[in-house]
Amino acid sequence: MARLQLLLSLRWGDMDAYRHVNNVEVVRLLEEARVRAFGIASPDGAAPMLATGMVVAKHTVEYLRPLDYRLEPVAVDLWIGRIGGASFEVDYEIREPEDEALVYARARTVCVSYDFAAGRPRRLDPDERARLTALGA
């Protein structure tokens, strides 16, 4: 399975009263990784997937251990778990960059390709399907 790894910095404001990254901010890290992954043009110059329209339908997060605030970035690994007709699953691990065994959270986001002009979901096109397949489905 192909994974895209992104190194993301934590913000001081991500920390909560318990001195670790708040659960809401963990979801923000997932969003940042997803936007970076789908906000870039394809190698052939096709529009980024974010530009073609996609919305989040569902998040699930399993918090495995506290992620304490620190200056060093955290790794967010991202890959595609399943591709449907109009939807796909983005899987993630938030972990230490140099230690694959030290995982803070595992998560999944169900995204739906969306036609904003029509106000409804739309089918994934062949280019989108190929780009998603390249990320591991």
Side-chain angles (χ1 to χ4, degrees), residues 2-20:
R3 288 186 181 210
L4 175 62
Q5 183 179 91
L6 299 150
L7 298 177
L8 301 178
S9 296
L10 302 175
R11 301 176 309 173
W12 177 259
D14 294 344
M15 184 173 45
D16 64 14
Y18 300 112
R19 301 183 57 90
H20 63 260

Side-chain angles (χ1 to χ4, degrees), residues 46-105:
M49 287 187 67
L50 283 181
T52 62
M54 58 188 270
V55 296
V56 170
K58 180 180 178 180
H59 287 299
T60 56
V61 182
E62 179 183 11
Y63 299 94
L64 303 171
R65 66 184 64 209
L67 172 57
D68 294 331
Y69 172 80
R70 80 283 184 92
L71 295 176
E72 300 79 24
V74 66
V76 179
D77 288 357
L78 174 150
W79 65 97
I80 303 303
R82 183 193 66 79
I83 302 172
S87 66
F88 57 96
E89 294 175 348
V90 182
D91 291 325
Y92 319 80
E93 281 187 347
I94 299 175
R95 63 177 187 79
E96 282 300 317
E98 304 299 325
D99 185 354
E100 290 186 19
L102 187 52
V103 178
Y104 297 103

